Amino acid sequence: MELAAEPRMVSTIAASLPLKGIRVVVWDMDHTMSAKHCGDGLPRGQLADYLAAASEDFIQLADALAASGMRQAVATGSDMAEYDLEGHSRETHICGEDLATELISRRCSVGTLATFEVMVGFDCRLHGDKVEDRGKRHHMRTIAAHYGVQPREMLLIDDSRASLENEAGYNGLLVRNPSSGFRLSDFFVGFQMADMQYKSRSGAPIRYFPALEHAPKPQESKQDDGGGAGAAGAADAAGAAGAAGATTSATAAPPREWDAARGVW
């Protein structure tokens, strides 16, 4: 069972993103919003399991971002064209924007869905496999146009490095453990040099979002609940803070400028 997110970690991230110039948070769906993968269309008989596997950290952060006024979006490779595949129909399967809407509306708080003004379900292989559309390039262009923002003002959270490759300059946050989906600690863990020096096969750069410098100090549990969500969630927060070399301040660090020539913040 996934542990509940530590509330102060949620609020710290929600407050830090605008200070770092982020105006739109874009979520991948499979292995990010949910720990499961829908394949080329999820059989409706498996929908309950897919929704049950929704990342609790995604739910809490999406709700907090919605409450703060942050705009959100979905960028998934699950394409509505999959309804037209042999043996598929809207009665037997669910995919793309329909699946994302179902997850957010049923697992997040009332009102959160409204902050997801745009969802893009697109598999470039079903649409000519153009180089300029590979990864999440098409998705992010569409979302940027909808919200009227610059690429550098968007953050894509995704479990695939290939999806984070781009020439436009949007930021990427890598989900470290696809089997659990997005975790708050993905924001605080320090990036390893191997990650920063990663060269994609296409040669496109990855503008990694920097690890947040200030993780909040977790509250100590006032009673032993046998390893329940409170104590374990605090331990998870402490581990995330340690990995980032964080201080105990809950105040977000001032934004840093991206040095495109050196590829560092």
Side-chain angles (χ1 to χ4, degrees):
M1 179 178 180
E2 188 176 347
L3 302 175
E6 212 283 340
R8 285 187 295 173
M9 289 183 71
V10 175
S11 60
T12 295
I13 293 170
S16 295
L17 294 180
L19 295 178
K20 291 182 177 292
I22 300 302
R23 297 175 60 193
V24 180
V25 174
V26 183
W27 299 90
D28 174 41
M29 187 171 68
D30 294 334
H31 292 321
T32 300
M33 291 166 55
S34 174
K36 291 189 176 294
H37 197 288
C38 69
D40 60 357
L42 184 74
R44 286 193 171 271
Q46 299 176 19
L47 178 58
D49 289 341
Y50 189 93
L51 299 180
S55 160
E56 293 293 337
D57 286 13
F58 158 71
I59 294 167
Q60 294 202 34
L61 183 54
D63 285 347
L65 291 173
S68 74
M70 177 68 73
R71 291 172 287 185
Q72 302 185 80
V74 173
T76 175
S78 180
D79 196 309
M80 300 284 268
E82 292 165 356
Y83 282 130
D84 298 326
L85 296 176
E86 184 177 358
H88 289 207
S89 71
R90 292 178 182 272
E91 290 70 37
T92 60
H93 290 73
I94 184 170
C95 59
E97 294 93 321
D98 289 345
L99 181 54
T101 298
E102 193 79 4
L103 188 152
I104 296 166
S105 63
R106 292 180 58 176
R107 295 304 313 272
C108 294
S109 297
V110 174
T112 295
L113 180 61
T115 68
F116 287 80
E117 293 182 11
V118 57
M119 301 182 186
V120 183
F122 183 85
D123 183 342
C124 69
R125 298 170 297 180
L126 301 178
H127 302 278
D129 199 18
K130 300 176 183 177
V131 173
E132 61 268 26
D133 290 340
R134 291 177 182 171
K136 294 295 172 71
R137 293 172 175 84
H138 169 84
H139 306 70
M140 299 299 278
R141 287 198 308 271
T142 303
I143 294 166
H146 174 86
Y147 282 124
V149 298
Q150 296 299 314
R152 65 177 181 275
E153 297 175 307
M154 298 192 297
L155 172 63
L156 171 62
I157 302 175
D158 203 297
D159 67 294
S160 167
R161 282 191 176 92
S163 292
L164 301 182
E165 296 173 13
N166 75 99
E167 300 77 18
Y170 54 80
N171 302 278
L173 181 75
L174 184 66
V175 173
R176 299 276 167 156
N177 186 0
S179 65
S180 66
F182 165 75
R183 298 302 305 272
L184 292 172
S185 57
D186 292 327
F187 271 102
F188 292 98
V189 68
F191 289 116
Q192 302 297 316
M193 289 304 296
D195 288 330
M196 298 304 294
Q197 297 172 356
Y198 175 78
K199 301 296 183 183
S200 65
R201 285 177 294 179
S202 69
I206 296 177
R207 176 172 166 166
Y208 278 120
F209 192 74
L212 297 181
E213 295 86 353
H214 298 285
K217 183 178 181 179
Q219 293 179 333
E220 294 182 1
S221 176
K222 294 184 178 180
Q223 65 180 33
D224 184 2
D225 60 0
D236 186 48
T247 70
T248 59
S249 170
T251 303
R256 293 179 287 175
E257 294 297 323
W258 174 253
D259 186 334
R262 296 171 56 215
V264 298
W265 287 90

